[in-house]
Amino acid sequence: MRVPLVLLILISGWLRADVSVSYEKTAKPLLEAYCFDCHGDGSAKGEFSMDEFKDLSAHLNNIDHWVAVWRNIRSQIMPPSEKDQLALGEKKELLQWIEKEVFKINPENPDPGRVTIRRLNRQEYFHAIEDLLGVRYNTWENFPPDDTGYGFDTIGDVLSISPLHMEKYLEAASQIANQALPRDATSHIPERTISGKQFREAGEEKHASDWLAFNQERMVRAFLSAPAKGEYEVHFNYSVRGAKQATDQTAHIELFLGEKKIAERTVGWDQQETIRLSGKHFLSKGEIEAKVKITPREPVGENQEEQYLFIQKLQIKGPLDESYVEYPKGYQMIMVDGAAPKDLEKREQYARKIMRSFVSRAFRRPLDPGTIQRLVTIVMETDKSPGKTFEDGLKQAITAVLASPRFLFRAEIQAEPNNPGKRIQLDEYALASRLSFFLWSSVPDDELLSLAYRKELRQNIRSQVNRMLADPKGYRFTNHFVGQWLQSRDIKHWPIDPWRILHTRDRQQARRIFNDLLREDMQRETEMFFDFILKRARPAVELINARYSFLNERLAKFYGINDVKGSEHRLVDLTEHPERGGVLTQGTFLVITSNPTRTSPVKRGLFVLDQILGTPAPPAPPNIPELEEATHGAKGPQTMRQMMQIHREKPSCIGCHARMDPIGLGLENFNAIGQFRTDDRGQKIDSAGELVTGEKFHNVAALKEILATERQDDFFRCLAEKILTYAIGRGVEYYDAATIDLLVEQMKANGGTLKELVLAVIESAPFQMRRGDG
């Protein structure tokens, strides 16, 4: 039935009138009592006014204005702590009014939001190819960098495709197919590979020894198995790490299989990503001991940096006479029943079986018979061509699949894609895809697709999440999410000058204290810490105030913690070290929030506001001088607190710095590379402070406790927003307020664990549903 236009106009007018009445009755008295002193009645502190409007209806439709009010009241940033505060009931009433009357949020029917069709990012493409074909294609070197949005590279709106991307995808598809099904696949000489982390020093079997200093003689060993007797090629891959500039330092390396020396070389400064040392040797069937010996040669020169040998992998290939062969991994994954049969009809049936299995996983849903038949035709027509084989036909079909938009893009079926009022539940294949890309950064496996086929995935979602997190592929979520949320992946290349930070006599000494090995240790600590809290269902607040971490001997010594031995990270009790524990005291955070030569309270404070509390400060005004420039001419040495006080003397700076600086200065006991200290250049460090919301602390341990208790809801909301953003590929909008509240409520009702939050995100409306774009 059509509703007359006149009636629609009348209904719209009544609705607007109702909102105006509720504003006068509910919202305005509270705003007048607590906000108008600074933001009304002619005042506009911070250039923000709440009563300068000519049209109340337009004012109530100004979403940006009310989002600012809503966020600041919800987080208790406003009113300022020195002003009268809203009672809990008043705060709840005002927030609910904004959400209902201005945002038009229905908690019983949350808006799932729109999801943009997007291509696979480099991580997703890499893992998808690895899981489908067993090929590790280097997307970082072969594809352009991915853009990011809202802090993540999973955001649909920025994952567009350019002509360059398409050209690279076509080239990659062909290369990957050839690697998966090499021409000599049926006579493939076996290869056995062990990683550098499998090397051990005698007597230290529990701890990896893949980093060898140039200045110390050492012998490390690992074991691998030869599948049959014969002559083998041996390839030892390594790189030289440490010094950023050329040095005089050299070392001699020797490679042994058993007692036989296979190859040797003297190495010096070398910036190649991979260096290979090769040789040949006759091996008997069974286990063989591989040994690498390093001997110092030329010492490091004055003011030069130390170097290290980083063992990447050792590979043996043989027997070279092809007396023993086996199919490569990709061949086994594709040719599930072995070589193609001779009979033409059976070959076609086999091609159909392979295509149906491979393509349904690549496209993440069952295919129509027409698509399968077209691919089978490609296989069979190629197979019949002179000089071509069945495998050549498969490669042609696989290339077509990998270049298809149905593989490259993540798209979901929507009955009315342009109708924002049409909200639908995802079909189970789309749900399987969302789940697998969220937790595995890859395509669904057979179990997920089988459950989707039987329409049983949704009812088994929790058991599947448990299975997926327990799988080794579950570490991908930790690596990719934490790498971006906490920026731990940036630690490896973050510009920092330990010489100027530590004030050592030379750069060589500084590099002994802080080097590439330590950077990797720091990243490993943060990832293992998050992964432990997630998979052991630990309370999420332990991300802030845990009394433990994951350290090895090198990192523990750097932190000033004793009695940790070996190079492997393990759980370490930090009860006796209250200054440590939680991500804010880990090297990753402390380094990436520092400047190259000093700490930055502003960066540290801003990071906590952005990534931990979800209450970001507005952008800095233009032409703000650097700290050193602002404090130039000050008498005598200045503490960081004194320098910051001078820096923020401008009235336009005080508001933001009042939010950032107390947090940043509360972390000032940690220097720019993450070591704890009590004084800076002879002056005692004062780390006490007061948050803009009024909570006072006297040191970093007290600050962490405030963030984990009194500001816990802010942290939970922020964490929920970050995980939801990463999971669904769009930024959190004002209409997601009801969803975020539900996530936090569900999490707190189930022990406040990080794992429960991940489950709540997966069960939420934005993850399980979609609507049209409009």
Side-chain angles (χ1 to χ4, degrees):
M1 180 182 72
R2 285 184 172 273
V3 179
L5 179 60
V6 173
L7 185 56
L8 284 173
I9 294 172
L10 288 172
I11 292 172
S12 177
W14 291 334
L15 291 175
R16 285 198 299 270
D18 285 345
V19 176
S20 299
V21 170
S22 71
Y23 169 76
E24 296 289 343
K25 180 181 177 181
T26 303
K28 188 176 179 181
L30 293 172
L31 296 175
E32 286 178 330
Y34 296 101
C35 304
F36 277 25
D37 184 40
C38 296
H39 304 289
D41 298 329
S43 297
K45 195 171 182 179
E47 299 181 4
F48 189 83
S49 173
M50 292 184 171
D51 64 349
E52 287 186 2
F53 54 85
K54 297 179 181 179
D55 183 347
L56 179 58
S57 177
H59 177 63
L60 296 176
N61 287 328
N62 185 346
I63 296 294
D64 290 340
H65 173 90
W66 289 102
V67 165
V69 175
W70 172 74
R71 284 190 181 277
N72 283 299
I73 291 174
R74 186 182 65 169
S75 300
Q76 289 180 231
I77 293 173
M78 293 292 167
S81 59
E82 66 271 13
K83 300 279 188 178
D84 291 338
Q85 299 295 305
L86 287 89
L88 187 62
E90 292 174 323
K91 178 181 175 182
K92 185 176 181 180
E93 182 181 21
L94 182 54
L95 291 176
Q96 287 181 342
W97 179 85
I98 295 173
E99 290 170 7
K100 179 183 177 183
E101 302 293 355
V102 180
F103 296 167
K104 310 299 182 186
I105 292 173
N106 179 5
E108 302 300 319
N109 185 24
D111 185 348
R114 65 179 185 85
V115 177
T116 304
I117 293 175
R118 60 194 184 276
R119 62 170 172 81
L120 305 186
N121 64 30
R122 291 192 298 187
Q123 296 278 8
E124 292 165 342
Y125 189 101
F126 173 85
H127 290 308
I129 294 300
E130 182 182 28
D131 294 345
L132 286 168
L133 297 168
V135 173
R136 295 175 63 86
Y137 185 75
N138 193 333
T139 56
W140 293 270
E141 289 187 4
N142 293 306
F143 293 161
D146 295 314
D147 290 328
T148 60
Y150 304 96
F152 297 104
D153 61 8
T154 58
I155 305 302
D157 285 341
V158 302
L159 288 173
S160 57
I161 191 165
S162 66
L164 177 60
H165 266 114
M166 200 62 240
E167 180 182 325
K168 294 293 185 181
Y169 284 140
L170 291 171
E171 183 180 333
S174 178
Q175 291 178 8
I176 291 165
N178 283 317
Q179 288 181 47
L181 289 172
R183 179 162 287 277
D184 61 347
T186 54
S187 60
H188 186 70
I189 298 175
E191 296 179 2
R192 298 288 187 269
T193 302
I194 55 174
S195 71
K197 292 193 177 298
Q198 292 175 266
F199 279 85
R200 299 287 188 269
E201 194 165 11
E204 288 284 344
E205 269 63 34
K206 291 184 178 180
H207 310 306
S209 298
D210 51 338
W211 287 80
L212 306 176
F214 272 33
N215 64 358
Q216 182 182 3
E217 181 173 320
R218 291 178 69 189
M219 174 87 80
V220 294
R221 62 180 184 173
F223 295 90
L224 69 166
S225 179
K229 69 176 182 179
E231 188 177 38
Y232 285 74
E233 284 182 357
V234 184
H235 302 293
F236 174 63
N237 287 10
Y238 66 94
S239 60
V240 175
R241 303 280 184 87
K244 302 300 182 185
Q245 296 179 343
T247 76
D248 299 329
Q249 190 180 33
T250 62
H252 191 70
I253 56 173
E254 299 169 276
L255 174 64
F256 299 84
L257 285 187
E259 298 305 317
K260 170 72 172 178
K261 185 188 293 185
I262 304 302
E264 61 182 322
R265 178 182 297 169
T266 298
V267 295
W269 187 76
D270 196 318
Q271 294 297 287
Q272 294 183 71
E273 187 68 27
T274 298
I275 311 169
R276 173 172 281 189
L277 192 60
S278 300
K280 291 183 179 181
H281 186 45
F282 187 92
L283 298 176
S284 298
K285 180 180 179 180
E287 188 176 72
I288 183 74
E289 182 184 37
K291 293 182 289 188
V292 176
K293 181 179 181 181
I294 185 167
T295 306
R297 285 287 193 262
E298 292 296 324
V300 67
E302 185 178 356
N303 288 327
Q304 293 179 345
E305 297 174 327
E306 295 281 358
Q307 299 191 102
Y308 304 85
L309 182 79
F310 173 58
I311 303 175
Q312 297 176 352
K313 65 181 180 180
L314 177 68
Q315 181 185 69
I316 61 171
K317 181 178 181 180
L320 299 177
D321 62 4
E322 300 186 17
S323 58
Y324 177 90
V325 296
E326 64 185 17
Y327 295 131
K329 184 177 181 180
Y331 187 94
Q332 295 177 46
M333 294 176 72
I334 299 166
M335 308 286 287
V336 289
D337 294 333
K342 300 294 185 182
D343 180 77
L344 190 62
E345 184 177 340
K346 290 182 178 180
R347 287 167 83 86
E348 185 169 341
Q349 292 174 0
Y350 191 27
R352 182 168 281 102
K353 178 180 180 179
I354 291 171
M355 284 295 104
R356 186 181 293 114
S357 172
F358 170 72
V359 182
S360 63
R361 285 195 62 202
F363 289 175
R364 285 88 76 181
R365 61 177 56 246
L367 291 183
D368 59 283
T371 299
I372 294 293
Q373 184 55 50
R374 285 191 291 273
L375 292 167
V376 170
T377 300
I378 291 174
V379 177
M380 299 310 297
E381 289 299 318
T382 305
D383 187 19
K384 295 173 187 177
S385 302
K388 298 294 183 179
T389 65
F390 182 80
E391 288 78 8
D392 289 328
L394 287 177
K395 285 191 282 189
Q396 290 289 335
I398 289 170
T399 300
V401 170
L402 298 183
S404 168
R406 284 192 277 183
F407 171 70
L408 295 173
F409 286 86
R410 292 177 56 187
E412 296 159 348
I413 296 172
Q414 164 68 301
E416 298 179 41
N418 296 320
N419 180 3
K422 184 70 173 181
R423 301 176 185 182
I424 63 167
Q425 195 174 59
L426 293 173
D427 70 64
E428 296 224 339
Y429 289 108
L431 181 60
S433 187
R434 280 198 181 188
L435 191 59
S436 64
F437 279 107
F438 175 34
L439 298 180
W440 285 350
S441 298
S442 184
V443 295
D445 65 357
D446 290 335
E447 185 167 339
L448 287 173
L449 292 176
S450 295
L451 286 169
Y453 173 76
R454 299 195 302 269
K455 294 183 171 55
E456 296 175 357
L457 175 57
R458 196 168 260 108
Q459 68 193 55
N460 290 286
I461 199 81
R462 288 202 162 219
S463 63
Q464 285 302 302
V465 171
N466 289 333
R467 176 183 73 88
M468 294 174 73
L469 289 176
D471 189 284
K473 291 186 288 188
Y475 197 80
R476 295 173 185 172
F477 169 66
T478 294
N479 180 260
H480 302 325
F481 174 72
V482 174
Q484 295 178 86
W485 171 46
L486 298 177
Q487 299 173 28
S488 62
R489 63 169 58 166
D490 297 340
I491 184 72
K492 287 184 178 179
H493 305 291
W494 194 262
I496 207 83
D497 188 346
W499 181 50
R500 296 181 64 182
I501 293 164
L502 295 169
H503 307 291
T504 56
R505 65 177 183 271
D506 55 40
R507 293 187 181 276
Q508 181 179 330
Q509 184 183 5
R511 287 291 298 177
R512 288 196 188 103
I513 298 171
F514 184 84
N515 49 45
D516 289 350
L517 284 171
L518 205 64
R519 290 175 186 256
E520 294 203 4
D521 289 340
M522 289 175 172
Q523 181 179 0
R524 184 72 174 154
E525 175 194 15
T526 300
E527 290 179 355
M528 289 184 70
F529 177 68
F530 180 92
D531 204 61
F532 178 83
I533 292 174
L534 171 64
K535 294 175 182 175
R536 296 295 182 91
R538 302 292 304 170
V541 291
E542 290 185 0
L543 289 165
I544 303 296
N545 68 351
R547 295 185 177 181
Y548 60 85
S549 193
F550 287 81
L551 309 176
N552 62 2
E553 182 176 358
R554 184 170 43 240
L555 186 57
K557 182 179 178 181
F558 179 80
Y559 285 167
I561 298 168
N562 300 321
D563 301 323
V564 179
K565 301 298 181 184
S567 60
E568 290 290 312
H569 285 66
R570 83 293 308 268
L571 186 66
V572 176
D573 185 352
L574 298 177
T575 303
E576 301 300 318
H577 298 272
E579 75 280 3
R580 293 287 177 183
V583 296
L584 299 184
T585 67
Q586 293 176 357
T588 48
F589 162 77
L590 296 166
V591 171
I592 65 163
T593 54
S594 294
N595 287 336
T597 60
R598 61 167 174 81
T599 60
S600 174
V602 170
K603 287 182 179 178
R604 288 179 177 177
L606 187 60
F607 188 100
V608 172
L609 292 178
D610 281 348
Q611 308 296 342
I612 304 299
L613 298 177
T615 56
N623 303 318
I624 296 297
E626 289 294 325
L627 185 63
E628 290 81 0
E629 181 184 344
T631 57
H632 181 69
K635 294 182 179 180
Q638 302 287 307
T639 65
M640 181 59 74
R641 185 177 291 273
Q642 291 168 335
M643 294 169 70
M644 293 300 300
Q645 183 63 43
I646 297 170
H647 183 62
R648 64 170 180 261
E649 284 180 348
K650 288 187 176 181
S652 60
C653 300
I654 293 174
C656 294
H657 278 279
R659 296 169 63 184
M660 298 182 294
D661 290 2
I663 298 172
L665 290 170
L667 295 161
E668 187 60 19
N669 279 119
F670 297 98
N671 68 12
I673 55 175
Q675 289 180 311
F676 191 79
R677 58 189 180 165
T678 56
D679 64 90
D680 181 16
R681 285 174 286 185
Q683 298 195 57
K684 184 175 176 59
I685 293 171
D686 177 10
S687 59
E690 180 179 347
L691 300 187
V692 71
T693 44
E695 299 89 350
K696 295 181 180 180
F697 56 90
H698 59 280
N699 59 22
V700 66
L703 171 60
K704 289 190 297 177
E705 204 56 32
I706 290 171
L707 297 178
T709 54
E710 295 173 68
R711 309 310 318 161
Q712 183 185 103
D713 282 353
D714 287 336
F715 172 56
F716 282 175
R717 277 196 299 266
C718 180
L719 185 58
E721 289 182 1
K722 298 297 180 184
I723 295 177
L724 184 66
T725 298
Y726 178 86
I728 63 177
R730 67 166 175 83
V732 172
E733 303 289 352
Y734 68 88
Y735 53 73
D736 292 307
T739 294
I740 298 300
D741 288 342
L742 286 171
L743 293 178
V744 173
E745 287 173 16
Q746 181 176 329
M747 175 191 181
K748 293 170 75 172
N750 291 277
T753 68
L754 179 58
K755 186 174 183 179
E756 188 60 40
L757 177 56
V758 170
L759 285 163
V761 166
I762 290 168
E763 293 172 342
S764 69
F767 195 92
Q768 296 262 340
M769 303 179 71
R770 64 166 295 142
R771 66 162 165 82
D773 280 350

